[in-house]
Amino acid sequence: MWQKIYQWLDERLGLGDMYANLLDRPEPTGNWWNTLGSASLFLFILQGATGIFLTVYYTPSPDHAYDSIQYIMNGVAFGWLVRGIHHWGATLMVLVVFIHMLRVFITASYKYPRELTWLIGVGLLVLTLGMGFTGYLLPWNQKAYWATTVATQIAGTAPLIGDFILKALRGGPDLSALTLQRFFAAHIWILPAALVGLIGIHLYLIIKHGESHFPTKED
Amino acid sequence: MSGSNHISRRDFMKVTTGAIGGIITAMVGLPVIGYLIDPALRAGSKEAKIPIGKLEKIPVNVPTPFSFTRTQVNGWERTGTSYGGYVIRKSEDPKDILVLSSRCTHLGCTVNWREESGDFTCPCHDARFSKDGKVLDGPPPKPLNQYTYEVDADGNLLILFKEG
């Protein structure tokens, strides 16, 4: 029965070919540090799923943002769990992505022909930090408000275009409803879309070039 | 190895990965179902007795409108909802009363009493109800809803209101 369903799907989708070409590839001898990329991908998917669920109740408006999160934490069944995973997953993802970068640097895996994978990976790290930065404002509590005030102020100290950057980030000279709304848009639409695109290229390059061998003593 | 109880290293990895993946998915997935359907499970029906007014001040045989507002807490927000209806005293007898909801049973618009034609009309689809709430014309599937009521010792008319 299942065999038949699988065969029907396989004939049309080419599942077997996909497996053979994408997943069934040679790997260098096992090393746990090589799993950090997969861990990052897992955390990204987890953050995406819990983030989507949070938008069911979260409201990006100065009047309701704080109250809606209080409701998620205390009112909705398992709201504390969904937000807790999103909250701690965010911290963990920054950490894992950063250690992933360190590992690639230390094992010199960024060398030919994998320079593009490295460059895109740096872009992914920056986008991950951007997700952390924009997500931090959304609870709209004192910590979020002042952290964003300070961080946008720091961005505003850039020479010549500093004032422009500050206003572009805040949507005006001060933190306001516009700031919250554009941080929300960046957090759930713009940055995730960029992340998905770059992750796609990153994974394609890994499949194309395979993973680099762990350097030996002679290297 | 074949025929023995041992499983190959590859199969062990497959089973372990599948099992751990399944446990993680269930640990996140099952609570999420509760998280999503929570408001639907929460809709508790609250009952309240709402005073409409002194019975002696309500004229006999004239549909007399009343309205009241209930505040509901939906998540983190309070919403006021207005309800209305008509009290019809058929006779002086304090038990001979009909309390109709003015909510049309078709799609929930508010019906109005028209003295000249002696019926309730709904502005949305021209439905007409008789003085005692029966459907005369139009799409409504059933008569106007009736409120249960009581008259207390001081002669106040109270209606029993069920939320939801």
Side-chain angles (χ1 to χ4, degrees):
Chain A
M1 174 67 182
W2 293 115
Q3 202 69 32
K4 268 191 176 169
I5 293 175
Y6 175 76
Q7 266 171 9
W8 191 91
L9 287 171
D10 186 36
E11 263 177 52
R12 273 140 260 255
L13 290 169
L15 296 173
D17 292 344
M18 244 194 287
Y19 175 78
N21 287 313
L22 299 181
L23 295 172
D24 197 12
R25 56 200 153 83
E27 291 288 322
T29 323
N31 185 305
W32 282 103
W33 296 103
N34 283 23
T35 60
L36 286 168
S38 304
S40 306
L41 181 64
F42 169 77
L43 284 169
F44 175 72
I45 293 167
L46 190 68
Q47 291 300 93
T50 51
I52 287 168
F53 293 129
L54 283 174
T55 63
V56 174
Y57 296 105
Y58 176 74
T59 309
S61 129
D63 290 342
H64 296 300
Y66 182 78
D67 289 338
S68 65
I69 285 184
Q70 289 302 306
Y71 182 65
I72 291 172
M73 293 304 281
N74 302 317
V76 191
F78 297 110
W80 56 272
L81 182 68
V82 175
R83 178 157 179 257
I85 294 173
H86 199 73
H87 179 101
W88 292 105
T91 308
L92 194 61
M93 185 168 165
V94 171
L95 201 69
V96 169
V97 170
F98 188 77
I99 300 173
H100 178 49
M101 184 204 74
L102 280 183
R103 186 236 103 201
V104 171
F105 181 77
I106 288 166
T107 59
S109 305
Y110 53 82
K111 290 181 178 176
Y112 176 84
R114 300 185 180 86
E115 298 99 321
L116 254 186
T117 323
W118 165 263
L119 286 175
I120 288 166
V122 171
L124 287 170
L125 173 65
V126 172
L127 286 173
T128 305
L129 294 176
M131 288 296 277
F133 177 57
T134 52
Y136 205 80
L137 178 66
L138 303 185
W140 203 246
N141 52 23
Q142 286 291 323
K143 196 165 71 166
Y145 185 91
W146 293 108
T148 305
T149 303
V150 170
T152 47
Q153 199 78 50
I154 291 169
T157 57
L160 298 175
I161 53 164
D163 193 50
F164 168 75
I165 292 175
L166 179 95
K167 283 181 182 165
L169 281 174
R170 290 184 179 175
D174 298 305
L175 244 71
S176 64
L178 286 176
T179 321
L180 182 58
Q181 192 67 42
R182 65 208 285 116
F183 270 51
F184 181 68
H187 190 76
I188 73 160
W189 297 121
I190 301 166
L191 295 177
L195 272 167
V196 167
L198 289 189
I199 287 172
I201 305 171
H202 202 70
L203 289 179
Y204 163 75
L205 289 171
I206 289 161
I207 288 160
K208 179 168 170 58
H209 297 300
E211 279 181 34
S212 66
H213 277 278
F214 212 67
T216 54
K217 280 219 172 98
E218 290 85 68
D219 293 324
Chain B
M1 281 272 211
S2 66
S4 74
N5 286 331
H6 294 287
I7 58 168
S8 70
R9 185 190 174 94
R10 176 168 287 243
D11 281 345
F12 174 75
M13 291 305 284
K14 270 188 194 168
V15 169
T16 319
T17 310
I20 293 173
I23 289 168
I24 293 174
T25 310
M27 269 166 58
V28 179
L30 294 178
V32 158
I33 295 171
Y35 172 84
L36 289 177
I37 63 171
D38 184 67
L41 304 176
R42 198 164 285 262
S45 59
K46 273 177 272 175
E47 289 189 359
K49 283 179 186 169
I50 314 239
I52 300 299
K54 288 269 187 202
L55 195 60
E56 63 205 44
K57 292 194 175 160
I58 300 170
V60 175
N61 230 345
V62 181
T64 310
F66 64 89
S67 65
F68 56 95
T69 306
R70 300 285 294 166
T71 311
Q72 281 161 307
V73 180
N74 297 309
W76 59 92
E77 206 186 27
R78 290 174 168 277
T79 319
T81 315
S82 292
Y83 299 88
Y86 289 87
V87 181
I88 302 136
R89 291 187 69 185
K90 292 182 187 163
S91 65
E92 291 287 346
D93 183 1
K95 283 186 185 131
D96 200 12
I97 304 176
L98 195 61
V99 186
L100 295 175
S101 162
S102 59
R103 190 177 184 277
C104 181
T105 51
H106 178 220
L107 291 170
C109 297
T110 304
V111 300
N112 300 301
W113 172 252
R114 280 196 313 185
E115 193 59 57
E116 57 271 28
S117 53
D119 57 11
F120 294 100
T121 54
C122 179
C124 291
H125 302 97
D126 281 337
R128 295 196 303 122
F129 297 89
S130 70
K131 199 173 179 178
D132 51 1
K134 294 204 174 66
V135 183
L136 295 175
D137 192 14
K142 52 182 185 165
L144 288 174
N145 285 322
Q146 297 184 11
Y147 283 111
T148 328
Y149 64 89
E150 62 179 57
V151 182
D152 69 8
D154 300 330
N156 288 312
L157 178 65
L158 306 161
I159 60 166
L160 191 69
F161 175 75
K162 276 182 202 157
E163 224 161 68

mmCIF file of all heavy atoms in Angstrom, chain A residues 166-189:
data_model
loop_
_atom_site.group_PDB
_atom_site.id
_atom_site.type_symbol
_atom_site.label_atom_id
_atom_site.label_comp_id
_atom_site.label_asym_id
_atom_site.label_seq_id
_atom_site.Cartn_x
_atom_site.Cartn_y
_atom_site.Cartn_z
ATOM 1 N N LEU A 166 19.639 57.118 10.955
ATOM 2 C CA LEU A 166 18.820 57.156 12.166
ATOM 3 C C LEU A 166 17.350 57.313 11.822
ATOM 4 O O LEU A 166 16.484 56.572 12.302
ATOM 5 C CB LEU A 166 19.277 58.317 13.058
ATOM 6 C CG LEU A 166 18.479 58.491 14.344
ATOM 7 C CD1 LEU A 166 19.169 57.767 15.486
ATOM 8 C CD2 LEU A 166 18.309 59.951 14.709
ATOM 9 N N LYS A 167 17.062 58.280 10.924
ATOM 10 C CA LYS A 167 15.656 58.528 10.572
ATOM 11 C C LYS A 167 15.075 57.376 9.761
ATOM 12 O O LYS A 167 13.899 57.037 9.899
ATOM 13 C CB LYS A 167 15.541 59.831 9.782
ATOM 14 C CG LYS A 167 15.640 61.058 10.666
ATOM 15 C CD LYS A 167 15.497 62.322 9.846
ATOM 16 C CE LYS A 167 15.635 63.553 10.715
ATOM 17 N NZ LYS A 167 15.865 64.755 9.891
ATOM 18 N N ALA A 168 15.903 56.760 8.914
ATOM 19 C CA ALA A 168 15.415 55.643 8.106
ATOM 20 C C ALA A 168 15.090 54.448 9.000
ATOM 21 O O ALA A 168 14.087 53.760 8.794
ATOM 22 C CB ALA A 168 16.457 55.261 7.064
ATOM 23 N N LEU A 169 15.945 54.207 10.023
ATOM 24 C CA LEU A 169 15.686 53.087 10.930
ATOM 25 C C LEU A 169 14.446 53.344 11.765
ATOM 26 O O LEU A 169 13.611 52.460 11.944
ATOM 27 C CB LEU A 169 16.895 52.868 11.849
ATOM 28 C CG LEU A 169 18.097 52.138 11.269
ATOM 29 C CD1 LEU A 169 19.246 52.154 12.267
ATOM 30 C CD2 LEU A 169 17.749 50.704 10.912
ATOM 31 N N ARG A 170 14.332 54.581 12.286
ATOM 32 C CA ARG A 170 13.230 54.872 13.197
ATOM 33 C C ARG A 170 11.952 55.257 12.473
ATOM 34 O O ARG A 170 10.887 55.335 13.097
ATOM 35 C CB ARG A 170 13.621 56.017 14.135
ATOM 36 C CG ARG A 170 14.679 55.639 15.138
ATOM 37 C CD ARG A 170 14.932 56.795 16.074
ATOM 38 N NE ARG A 170 15.936 56.454 17.080
ATOM 39 C CZ ARG A 170 16.402 57.322 17.967
ATOM 40 N NH1 ARG A 170 15.966 58.574 17.958
ATOM 41 N NH2 ARG A 170 17.302 56.956 18.856
ATOM 42 N N GLY A 171 12.050 55.559 11.179
ATOM 43 C CA GLY A 171 10.872 56.066 10.478
ATOM 44 C C GLY A 171 10.526 57.452 10.972
ATOM 45 O O GLY A 171 9.356 57.798 11.104
ATOM 46 N N GLY A 172 11.562 58.256 11.255
ATOM 47 C CA GLY A 172 11.362 59.604 11.784
ATOM 48 C C GLY A 172 12.414 59.891 12.811
ATOM 49 O O GLY A 172 13.243 59.025 13.116
ATOM 50 N N PRO A 173 12.423 61.087 13.377
ATOM 51 C CA PRO A 173 13.484 61.433 14.329
ATOM 52 C C PRO A 173 13.372 60.686 15.662
ATOM 53 O O PRO A 173 14.368 60.508 16.358
ATOM 54 C CB PRO A 173 13.320 62.943 14.530
ATOM 55 C CG PRO A 173 11.922 63.237 14.107
ATOM 56 C CD PRO A 173 11.550 62.220 13.086
ATOM 57 N N ASP A 174 12.179 60.247 16.036
ATOM 58 C CA ASP A 174 11.994 59.586 17.333
ATOM 59 C C ASP A 174 11.445 58.172 17.170
ATOM 60 O O ASP A 174 10.887 57.827 16.140
ATOM 61 C CB ASP A 174 11.020 60.385 18.204
ATOM 62 C CG ASP A 174 11.548 61.765 18.499
ATOM 63 O OD1 ASP A 174 12.671 61.860 19.006
ATOM 64 O OD2 ASP A 174 10.839 62.739 18.185
ATOM 65 N N LEU A 175 11.574 57.389 18.255
ATOM 66 C CA LEU A 175 10.936 56.078 18.280
ATOM 67 C C LEU A 175 9.428 56.259 18.371
ATOM 68 O O LEU A 175 8.941 57.020 19.206
ATOM 69 C CB LEU A 175 11.419 55.294 19.510
ATOM 70 C CG LEU A 175 12.213 54.029 19.211
ATOM 71 C CD1 LEU A 175 13.571 54.454 18.675
ATOM 72 C CD2 LEU A 175 12.393 53.200 20.454
ATOM 73 N N SER A 176 8.699 55.567 17.490
ATOM 74 C CA SER A 176 7.257 55.791 17.461
ATOM 75 C C SER A 176 6.571 54.536 16.955
ATOM 76 O O SER A 176 7.198 53.488 16.793
ATOM 77 C CB SER A 176 6.941 56.955 16.515
ATOM 78 O OG SER A 176 7.306 56.600 15.206
ATOM 79 N N ALA A 177 5.275 54.666 16.712
ATOM 80 C CA ALA A 177 4.525 53.567 16.101
ATOM 81 C C ALA A 177 5.143 53.168 14.767
ATOM 82 O O ALA A 177 5.165 51.985 14.413
ATOM 83 C CB ALA A 177 3.070 53.980 15.899
ATOM 84 N N LEU A 178 5.677 54.161 14.036
ATOM 85 C CA LEU A 178 6.312 53.852 12.750
ATOM 86 C C LEU A 178 7.522 52.946 12.947
ATOM 87 O O LEU A 178 7.748 52.020 12.166
ATOM 88 C CB LEU A 178 6.751 55.143 12.055
ATOM 89 C CG LEU A 178 5.643 55.992 11.441
ATOM 90 C CD1 LEU A 178 6.225 57.275 10.869
ATOM 91 C CD2 LEU A 178 4.926 55.216 10.355
ATOM 92 N N THR A 179 8.297 53.189 14.009
ATOM 93 C CA THR A 179 9.471 52.360 14.271
ATOM 94 C C THR A 179 9.050 50.917 14.526
ATOM 95 O O THR A 179 9.588 49.981 13.940
ATOM 96 C CB THR A 179 10.235 52.875 15.504
ATOM 97 O OG1 THR A 179 10.229 54.297 15.481
ATOM 98 C CG2 THR A 179 11.641 52.354 15.531
ATOM 99 N N LEU A 180 8.064 50.761 15.406
ATOM 100 C CA LEU A 180 7.601 49.416 15.754
ATOM 101 C C LEU A 180 7.097 48.687 14.507
ATOM 102 O O LEU A 180 7.423 47.526 14.272
ATOM 103 C CB LEU A 180 6.483 49.509 16.798
ATOM 104 C CG LEU A 180 5.908 48.187 17.316
ATOM 105 C CD1 LEU A 180 7.001 47.336 17.934
ATOM 106 C CD2 LEU A 180 4.818 48.452 18.340
ATOM 107 N N GLN A 181 6.326 49.402 13.685
ATOM 108 C CA GLN A 181 5.739 48.776 12.505
ATOM 109 C C GLN A 181 6.804 48.375 11.493
ATOM 110 O O GLN A 181 6.752 47.284 10.931
ATOM 111 C CB GLN A 181 4.732 49.734 11.857
ATOM 112 C CG GLN A 181 3.861 49.086 10.801
ATOM 113 C CD GLN A 181 2.914 48.052 11.393
ATOM 114 O OE1 GLN A 181 2.320 48.278 12.441
ATOM 115 N NE2 GLN A 181 2.788 46.915 10.743
ATOM 116 N N ARG A 182 7.805 49.247 11.274
ATOM 117 C CA ARG A 182 8.822 48.896 10.266
ATOM 118 C C ARG A 182 9.767 47.827 10.805
ATOM 119 O O ARG A 182 10.261 46.997 10.030
ATOM 120 C CB ARG A 182 9.563 50.127 9.745
ATOM 121 C CG ARG A 182 10.401 50.862 10.758
ATOM 122 C CD ARG A 182 10.530 52.323 10.398
ATOM 123 N NE ARG A 182 11.424 52.600 9.296
ATOM 124 C CZ ARG A 182 11.058 53.125 8.134
ATOM 125 N NH1 ARG A 182 9.807 53.408 7.917
ATOM 126 N NH2 ARG A 182 11.923 53.369 7.178
ATOM 127 N N PHE A 183 10.018 47.807 12.125
ATOM 128 C CA PHE A 183 10.823 46.729 12.683
ATOM 129 C C PHE A 183 10.082 45.407 12.542
ATOM 130 O O PHE A 183 10.670 44.368 12.257
ATOM 131 C CB PHE A 183 11.155 47.012 14.157
ATOM 132 C CG PHE A 183 12.428 47.781 14.337
ATOM 133 C CD1 PHE A 183 12.656 48.959 13.637
ATOM 134 C CD2 PHE A 183 13.411 47.326 15.198
ATOM 135 C CE1 PHE A 183 13.840 49.671 13.788
ATOM 136 C CE2 PHE A 183 14.604 48.028 15.344
ATOM 137 C CZ PHE A 183 14.815 49.196 14.656
ATOM 138 N N PHE A 184 8.763 45.455 12.747
ATOM 139 C CA PHE A 184 7.950 44.248 12.593
ATOM 140 C C PHE A 184 7.997 43.758 11.143
ATOM 141 O O PHE A 184 8.213 42.570 10.881
ATOM 142 C CB PHE A 184 6.509 44.563 13.003
ATOM 143 C CG PHE A 184 5.575 43.388 12.914
ATOM 144 C CD1 PHE A 184 5.705 42.313 13.767
ATOM 145 C CD2 PHE A 184 4.547 43.369 11.974
ATOM 146 C CE1 PHE A 184 4.835 41.232 13.694
ATOM 147 C CE2 PHE A 184 3.682 42.294 11.899
ATOM 148 C CZ PHE A 184 3.832 41.221 12.759
ATOM 149 N N ALA A 185 7.814 44.678 10.195
ATOM 150 C CA ALA A 185 7.855 44.309 8.770
ATOM 151 C C ALA A 185 9.210 43.712 8.414
ATOM 152 O O ALA A 185 9.295 42.686 7.725
ATOM 153 C CB ALA A 185 7.573 45.528 7.902
ATOM 154 N N ALA A 186 10.288 44.344 8.922
ATOM 155 C CA ALA A 186 11.625 43.812 8.649
ATOM 156 C C ALA A 186 11.785 42.437 9.276
ATOM 157 O O ALA A 186 12.343 41.525 8.663
ATOM 158 C CB ALA A 186 12.688 44.766 9.208
ATOM 159 N N HIS A 187 11.258 42.272 10.492
ATOM 160 C CA HIS A 187 11.456 41.035 11.239
ATOM 161 C C HIS A 187 10.687 39.864 10.647
ATOM 162 O O HIS A 187 11.159 38.726 10.687
ATOM 163 C CB HIS A 187 11.031 41.228 12.695
ATOM 164 C CG HIS A 187 11.422 40.098 13.603
ATOM 165 N ND1 HIS A 187 12.709 39.923 14.044
ATOM 166 C CD2 HIS A 187 10.713 39.085 14.146
ATOM 167 C CE1 HIS A 187 12.768 38.855 14.818
ATOM 168 N NE2 HIS A 187 11.573 38.321 14.897
ATOM 169 N N ILE A 188 9.477 40.109 10.137
ATOM 170 C CA ILE A 188 8.710 38.951 9.654
ATOM 171 C C ILE A 188 8.655 38.829 8.131
ATOM 172 O O ILE A 188 8.324 37.761 7.628
ATOM 173 C CB ILE A 188 7.273 38.909 10.234
ATOM 174 C CG1 ILE A 188 6.399 39.970 9.593
ATOM 175 C CG2 ILE A 188 7.273 39.034 11.728
ATOM 176 C CD1 ILE A 188 4.940 39.649 9.753
ATOM 177 N N TRP A 189 8.975 39.896 7.385
ATOM 178 C CA TRP A 189 8.910 39.775 5.921
ATOM 179 C C TRP A 189 10.260 39.972 5.243
ATOM 180 O O TRP A 189 10.736 39.099 4.524
ATOM 181 C CB TRP A 189 7.924 40.786 5.328
ATOM 182 C CG TRP A 189 6.514 40.587 5.760
ATOM 183 C CD1 TRP A 189 5.730 41.487 6.412
ATOM 184 C CD2 TRP A 189 5.694 39.430 5.565
ATOM 185 N NE1 TRP A 189 4.495 40.957 6.646
ATOM 186 C CE2 TRP A 189 4.439 39.713 6.128
ATOM 187 C CE3 TRP A 189 5.919 38.187 4.969
ATOM 188 C CZ2 TRP A 189 3.393 38.786 6.115
ATOM 189 C CZ3 TRP A 189 4.881 37.268 4.962
ATOM 190 C CH2 TRP A 189 3.650 37.570 5.525
#
